[in-house]
Amino acid sequence: MEISGRTRVCCVIGDPIEHTLSPLMHNAAFKHLKLDLVYVAFRVRKEELENAVKGMCSLGIHGLNVTMPHKNAIIKYLDEVDSTAKFIGSVNTVLNNDGKLMGFNTDGLGALKALKENQVHLDGKKLLLLGAGGAARAIAFQLASEVEEIRILNRDGEKAKQLAKALREKFNRKIVGDTLSASNIKEQLKDADILVNATSVGMHPNSEQTLVNREWLKPNMAVMDIVYNPVETRLLRDAKSVGAKVVYGTEMLVFQGAASFEIWFNRPAPVEVMRKAVLRSINEVNVSVEGAS
Ligand code: ATR
């Protein structure tokens, strides 16, 4: 596209930032819709966050994505934070509304859409959620009003218990938290309908790691992994091999990006274009990593 004096800017900030897929995903969307916009990535160190947010206002940057390590810290520099992001305690999307900065978190919505668009039914179902970090909090918050029951298992069991308690206070559902262990996962999987891995286990380069033994998975369940590199994690490969329905982490990535797009522009995001851009770039990254070794 042609960058002119009228071109508006969106960006992502984080540290490190060079591996982010957001610029590819959003620029593909802008190009497809012929929007006069460009999306760039800025490495912003912790101590520069406040200045970066002020800079966003000064420069009239329209939309911002936020990634590690700023997702929590940015909240104090924003004018408004929506109730979902407040509960989760983290913001991944900022809208610059004529100088008023509004914070949102689209991770949970991304997970919900990923499941629904892949025909995973939630009503009356039991969800087993692995992890209690930022992504897990977002997913649990979004799914709490959709499923019948949530069991949260986390390596740090206290975090799982606290999250479950906070969710119970807000939603009239059976939600329990406990420490993650092999026997716990095996036990809980006996009557779970949906399994979501919201930990980083299985992420490249540790792509053969999984918390779940293949024998514990059932054909009548759905399994989603938030890990998107590799696209098919060991967990999803195992789930597929027993006949379970699988939802790739790239789906959550694309739908959280689409939700950010919709907050910024108040129009539907071109999801298929964004999905293609993400899948193409992940394949390229893996080829270059393998080629280098
Ligand atoms: P994110 O924002 O992606 O959720 P995070 O907040 O750092 O990142 O959370 C990472 C999650 O992966 C946590 O649930 C973490 O468990 P702890 O809270 O006990 O640290 C989980 N995790 C990371 N490595 C793990 C491992 N090897 N085994 C089990 N859980 C792991």
Side-chain angles (χ1 to χ4, degrees):
M1 70 159 279
E2 198 85 347
I3 294 177
S4 74
R6 277 184 290 274
T7 306
R8 286 188 303 159
V9 179
C10 288
C11 68
V12 56
I13 58 168
D15 184 19
I17 199 64
E18 59 269 27
H19 297 298
T20 178
L21 297 177
S22 295
L24 288 160
M25 180 163 61
H26 286 289
N27 283 318
F30 297 164
K31 190 174 167 194
H32 177 76
L33 296 173
K34 299 188 172 62
L35 299 176
D36 193 2
L37 277 149
V38 64
Y39 187 111
V40 286
F42 292 119
R43 179 180 178 198
V44 173
R45 291 173 203 272
K46 268 186 180 163
E47 57 277 16
E48 287 299 329
L49 179 62
E50 186 175 3
N51 285 336
V53 175
K54 282 182 183 156
M56 176 191 181
C57 275
S58 311
L59 298 174
I61 289 175
H62 178 68
L64 180 79
N65 280 133
V66 189
T67 185
M68 298 312 288
H70 306 310
K71 285 178 140 186
N72 307 81
I74 197 166
I75 289 177
K76 58 178 172 291
Y77 304 122
L78 304 177
D79 300 305
E80 259 178 37
V81 174
D82 89 329
S83 57
T84 306
K86 236 180 230 161
F87 176 89
I88 302 163
S90 95
V91 159
N92 77 339
T93 303
V94 179
L95 168 68
N96 182 355
N97 193 3
D98 281 334
K100 188 171 165 195
L101 298 184
M102 302 163 76
F104 304 85
N105 190 306
T106 65
D107 285 336
L109 202 56
L112 176 65
K113 276 241 161 177
L115 290 166
K116 283 192 169 169
E117 296 286 322
N118 284 279
Q119 283 77 49
V120 177
H121 303 293
L122 303 171
D123 194 22
K125 303 294 184 193
K126 294 189 173 72
L127 166 70
L128 175 60
L129 180 65
L130 307 181
R137 282 182 76 81
I139 293 168
F141 182 83
Q142 198 74 45
L143 298 189
S145 53
E146 305 272 344
V147 296
E148 185 182 294
E149 189 180 318
I150 305 183
R151 290 176 185 266
I152 305 164
L153 296 178
N154 193 50
R155 185 172 58 178
D156 175 349
E158 262 323 293
K159 263 164 79 177
K161 286 175 189 161
Q162 277 169 20
L163 173 57
K165 184 166 176 279
L167 288 163
R168 277 197 306 272
E169 283 164 9
K170 222 171 158 54
F171 300 94
N172 184 22
R173 290 287 195 282
K174 184 173 175 193
I175 303 171
V176 289
D178 206 348
T179 308
L180 184 149
S181 68
S183 59
N184 240 339
I185 297 176
K186 182 181 177 187
E187 191 53 36
Q188 299 301 341
L189 274 174
K190 284 181 184 158
D191 65 349
D193 304 296
I194 304 164
L195 167 67
V196 174
N197 174 46
T199 75
S200 48
V201 175
M203 194 190 290
H204 179 83
N206 303 311
S207 47
E208 278 309 300
Q209 287 182 358
T210 176
L211 294 167
V212 183
N213 197 314
R214 182 177 173 274
E215 277 69 57
W216 307 337
L217 297 164
K218 303 167 296 185
N220 59 345
M221 68 188 310
V223 181
M224 181 165 87
D225 203 332
I226 71 158
V227 172
Y228 59 78
N229 187 12
V231 174
E232 188 159 281
T233 57
R234 164 106 184 260
L235 171 65
L236 293 185
R237 194 170 77 229
D238 288 346
K240 217 174 173 181
S241 75
V242 303
K245 180 184 279 262
V246 302
V247 181
Y248 295 102
T250 45
E251 288 292 284
M252 176 169 155
L253 176 71
V254 168
F255 282 110
Q256 65 78 31
S260 295
F261 182 101
E262 286 164 14
I263 286 170
W264 295 331
F265 305 114
N266 205 18
R267 61 185 285 179
V271 172
E272 190 48 38
V273 169
M274 296 166 88
R275 181 185 284 121
K276 274 196 185 132
V278 162
L279 292 176
R280 196 182 324 115
S281 65
I282 292 179
N283 289 334
E284 277 167 16
V285 167
N286 285 345
V287 167
S288 70
V289 168
E290 280 156 23
S293 61

